[in-house]
């Protein structure tokens, strides 16, 4: 079966309401044409993010009732630690309340008082980049070149370019690279997976130069499923075996459990390096809490432990990946330009191709997010000029990003396939009437991270 059906049935539901066209026009105007400003209750299908938006299972909810809220040594911590040992294999496990805290702990420790150190990655996610840069480091993206072409089909467009990594090590010197990283799957690069061969190659290259290797593991199970289905030699291996192998090459990882932990809040840092674990634990106590809870309740740790077990089920992953793929296929069949192939957690619309009559200076990605909302109550996120265009500090000229994307991130186990069909049909309708869509001007913008709070107005 090309698109395997849901391997679950629905036991409890959350009502969502459909607003009228007129209501949505008033709402988007009040929101300054920025979908971040819309009350979530006024959204019909919310594809803003796959982070912290998963539906938990009955098994996870049952586990929540077994939360042991002891300050120190909660039994749920030991279950959480056991699962992480089993899947990731790292010796030291440090819970955090979400992924970016794990990143903050790592970079504030390894970059402390040493400005100008370089961190290579396939593509840093924006919080990872921010944590590197805030701590005085230089975040360098070395993804393979084909990742920049939205139409090239390749199994592993998330791979790091090992030639670029070799050149970087030669250029700056291994002593200025405290760690190297891979983000699996590569969220900033379209949710594309990284192959086992590339993970192994990255590990060998870094270790040859004495550089530790870390993985951003947010979507590790989706990545493992792509390896199983796309990489020679892995078809008969279990997802657990593949995950074990992926992490066996690394010295540690950061993870936001809000993705493949199948929970609404949580994360962790894990490593084999005792000294690093000790330094990070000391900082953890300062900013998150005691080492056996790290900013989470006991019940949250239990939900993550159970989520990590469930996310490895192959029937879940087959359904998950194919639900996203099916949305992509429906759009491709109708000629809608999307980043190809479909990512693991999201479809990325190519706003430049969708709205070629709107120049980058007039935010085609924003125009598309507004159309998705006003037409159908769907919320997506612009990953284009509002997020990334910036003035060159020397010439003062505005630098635009290569790609203008709109991400439709699919929450895990949340929307039915008929809701996904609704999404596809409405995008196709918008595509058929796209020439009527206008560009936008900014009315208000903050100095940093302007996309969250900007207010815009349509051009007349
Ligand atoms: N790394 C990656 C690859 C991510 O996608 C995210 C979050 C983080 C780290 C940070 O984790 O949110 O728990 O602090 N991505 C979300 C998204 C926000 O919408 O893609 P966090």
């Amino acid at each position: 079966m090309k698109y395997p059906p849901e391997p679950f049935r629905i036991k409890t539901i959350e009502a969502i309401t459909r607003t009228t066209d007129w209501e949505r026009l008033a709402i988007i105007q009040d929101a300054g044409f920025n979908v971040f400003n819309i009350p979530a209750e006024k959204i019909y299908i919310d594809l803003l993010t796959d982070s912290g938006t998963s539906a938990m299972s009955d098994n996870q909810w049952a586990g929540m009732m077994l939360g042991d809220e002891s300050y120190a040594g909660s039994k749920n911590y030991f279950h959480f630690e056991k699962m992480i040992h089993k899947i990731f294999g790292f010796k030291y496990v440090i819970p955090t309340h979400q992924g970016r805290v794990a990143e903050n702990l790592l970079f504030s420790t390894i970059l402390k008082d040493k400005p100008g150190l370089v961190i290579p990655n396939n593509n840093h996610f924006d919080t990872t980049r921010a944590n590197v840069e805030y701590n005085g480091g230089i975040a360098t993206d070395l993804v393979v070149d084909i990742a920049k072409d939205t139409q090239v089909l390749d199994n592993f467009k998330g791979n790091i370019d090992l030639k670029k990594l070799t050149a970087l090590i030669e250029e700056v010197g291994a002593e200025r690279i405290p760690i190297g990283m891979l983000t699996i799957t590569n969220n900033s690069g379209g949710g594309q997976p990284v192959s086992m061969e590339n993970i192994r190659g990255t590990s060998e290259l870094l270790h040859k130069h004495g550089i530790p290797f870390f993985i951003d593991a947010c979507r590790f199970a989706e990545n493992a499923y792509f390896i199983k289905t796309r990489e020679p030699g892995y078809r008969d291996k279990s997802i657990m075996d593949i995950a074990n192998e992926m992490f066996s090459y690394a010295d540690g990882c950061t993870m936001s459990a809000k993705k493949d932990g199948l929970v609404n809040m949580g994360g962790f840092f894990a490593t084999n390096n005792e000294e690093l674990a000790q330094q990070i634990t000391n900082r953890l106590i300062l900013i998150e809490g005691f080492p056996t809870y790290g900013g989470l309740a006991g019940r949250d740790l239990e939900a993550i432990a159970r989520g990590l077990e469930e996310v490895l089920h192959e029937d879940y992953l087959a359904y998950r990946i194919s639900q996203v793929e099916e949305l992509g296929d429906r759009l491709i069949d109708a000629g809608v330009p999307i980043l190809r192939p479909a990512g693991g957690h999201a479809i990325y619309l190519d706003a430049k191709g969708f709205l070629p009559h709107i120049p980058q200076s007039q935010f085609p990605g924003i125009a598309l997010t507004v159309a998705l909302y006003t037409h159908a109550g769907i919320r997506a996120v612009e990953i284009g000029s509002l997020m990334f265009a910036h003035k060159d500090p020397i010439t003062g000229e505005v630098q635009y990003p290569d790609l203008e994307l709109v991400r439709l991130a699919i929450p895990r186990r949340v929307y039915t396939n008929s809701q996904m069909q609704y999404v596809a049909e409405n995008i196709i309708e918008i595509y058929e009437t796209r020439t009527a869509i206008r560009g936008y001007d900014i009315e208000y913008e903050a100095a940093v991270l302007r996309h969250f709070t900007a207010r815009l107005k349509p051009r007349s």
Side-chain angles (χ1 to χ4, degrees):
M1 192 169 193
K2 183 148 191 226
Y3 307 114
E6 294 87 344
F8 51 80
R9 55 186 174 179
I10 296 168
K11 192 181 311 231
T12 183
I13 58 118
E14 175 187 358
I16 47 176
T17 47
R18 294 182 65 187
T19 44
T20 63
D21 291 358
W22 288 112
E23 276 175 287
R24 286 194 299 278
L25 282 175
I27 291 165
I28 196 76
Q29 224 153 9
D30 278 354
F33 298 93
N34 181 345
V35 295
F36 279 105
N37 294 333
I38 301 175
E41 272 185 337
K42 302 293 180 192
I43 309 280
Y44 180 51
I45 306 283
D46 202 346
L47 308 182
L48 188 66
T49 180
D50 65 319
S51 178
T53 52
S54 299
M56 293 208 296
S57 67
D58 52 357
N59 176 50
Q60 285 175 292
W61 281 109
M64 297 279 280
M65 287 304 290
L66 302 176
D68 163 4
E69 305 305 342
S70 306
Y71 189 90
S74 155
K75 71 175 181 203
N76 309 116
Y77 172 77
F78 295 110
H79 186 197
F80 170 85
E81 185 191 40
K82 195 168 130 196
M83 273 317 291
I84 293 169
H85 282 161
K86 206 165 143 188
I87 300 169
F88 301 83
F90 301 120
K91 207 163 160 193
Y92 305 100
V93 177
I94 298 167
T96 60
H97 86 269
Q98 64 183 89
R100 67 196 71 183
V101 184
E103 296 165 359
N104 181 285
L105 289 164
L106 172 63
F107 293 115
S108 64
T109 304
I110 63 174
L111 300 177
K112 194 172 182 317
D113 301 329
K114 296 177 206 149
L117 297 182
V118 180
I119 309 292
N121 203 324
N122 44 356
N123 276 123
H124 290 80
F125 179 65
D126 55 10
T127 60
T128 325
R129 169 176 292 276
N131 273 301
V132 171
E133 291 175 351
Y134 182 79
N135 287 292
I138 300 165
T140 307
D141 290 343
L142 303 176
V143 73
V144 288
D145 285 336
I146 47 165
K148 286 169 198 149
D149 184 330
T150 58
Q151 298 310 304
V152 175
L153 291 177
D154 190 82
N155 283 338
F156 293 103
K157 279 171 92 173
N159 283 355
I160 197 168
D161 187 328
L162 292 174
K163 283 200 208 86
K164 289 187 201 165
L165 183 57
T166 306
L168 180 82
I169 297 169
E170 273 167 22
E171 187 194 323
V172 306
E175 65 291 348
R176 284 191 51 216
I177 305 178
I179 63 165
M181 275 191 105
L182 278 178
T183 305
I184 62 171
T185 58
N186 186 16
N187 185 13
S188 306
Q192 302 294 316
V194 179
S195 70
M196 190 72 86
E197 190 187 0
N198 194 251
I199 296 173
R200 194 184 310 119
T202 305
S203 167
E204 282 169 8
L205 179 56
L206 291 170
H207 288 154
K208 192 172 88 183
H209 291 90
I211 302 167
F213 169 44
F214 281 74
I215 292 178
D216 175 337
C218 289
R219 299 176 180 85
F220 77 97
E222 291 168 6
N223 201 88
Y225 185 77
F226 280 120
I227 288 175
K228 182 177 169 84
T229 51
R230 293 184 180 178
E231 190 160 347
Y234 288 93
R235 188 155 290 276
D236 297 328
K237 297 224 157 98
S238 69
I239 299 295
M240 178 69 98
D241 286 343
I242 295 172
N244 286 163
E245 185 181 340
M246 292 190 313
F247 294 103
S248 72
Y249 299 121
D251 300 287
C253 72
T254 56
M255 169 140 179
S256 166
K258 296 170 75 172
K259 287 80 170 172
D260 275 349
L262 298 177
V263 292
N264 307 117
M265 192 52 72
F268 62 87
F269 173 78
T271 184
N272 287 326
N273 182 324
E274 186 180 359
E275 195 192 328
L276 182 62
Q278 216 153 43
Q279 287 171 320
I280 285 184
T281 301
N282 294 340
R283 247 189 91 69
L284 180 87
I285 296 170
L286 192 67
I287 63 173
E288 285 274 82
F290 190 76
T292 59
Y293 74 83
L296 292 168
R299 55 178 172 265
D300 295 329
L301 293 164
E302 187 60 32
I304 298 171
R306 293 178 184 220
L308 286 172
E309 198 270 317
E310 289 174 17
V311 81
L312 300 176
H313 293 187
E314 230 167 88
D315 55 354
Y316 158 73
L317 284 168
Y319 140 78
R320 162 72 178 160
I321 299 295
S322 80
Q323 188 183 48
V324 178
E325 189 186 4
E326 184 174 9
L327 173 62
D329 287 348
R330 284 183 198 275
L331 297 175
I332 292 166
D333 289 348
V336 177
I338 68 166
L339 190 155
R340 299 180 69 183
H345 68 295
I347 294 296
Y348 294 66
L349 300 174
D350 175 358
K352 258 195 213 169
F354 202 113
L355 301 171
H357 57 288
I358 302 181
Q360 283 188 282
S361 58
Q362 294 175 20
F363 308 107
I366 290 297
L368 195 45
T369 59
V370 172
L372 284 165
Y373 181 68
T374 51
H375 190 78
I378 298 166
R379 177 156 67 174
V381 65
E382 186 247 23
I383 305 184
S385 285
L386 191 65
M387 198 180 266
F388 293 127
H390 58 277
K391 276 211 177 95
D392 185 295
I394 298 162
T395 64
E397 250 175 66
V398 180
Q399 309 266 306
Y400 291 100
D402 292 336
L403 300 177
E404 293 286 340
L405 300 174
V406 169
R407 186 182 75 171
L408 306 159
I410 315 300
R412 294 168 181 79
R413 308 191 291 205
V414 169
Y415 291 116
T416 63
N417 286 331
S418 74
Q419 285 167 325
M420 287 293 103
Q421 192 174 336
Y422 168 91
V423 170
E425 283 171 7
N426 278 284
I427 293 172
I428 293 164
E429 273 175 28
I430 296 169
Y431 188 62
E432 282 161 1
T433 54
R434 61 193 178 280
T435 50
I437 298 176
R438 287 170 294 165
Y440 284 79
D441 288 323
I442 293 183
E443 260 191 348
Y444 161 76
E445 61 181 315
V448 285
L449 296 172
R450 65 178 180 177
H451 56 285
F452 290 120
T453 53
R455 297 185 70 83
L456 301 104
K457 62 173 190 317
R459 290 177 70 95
S460 41

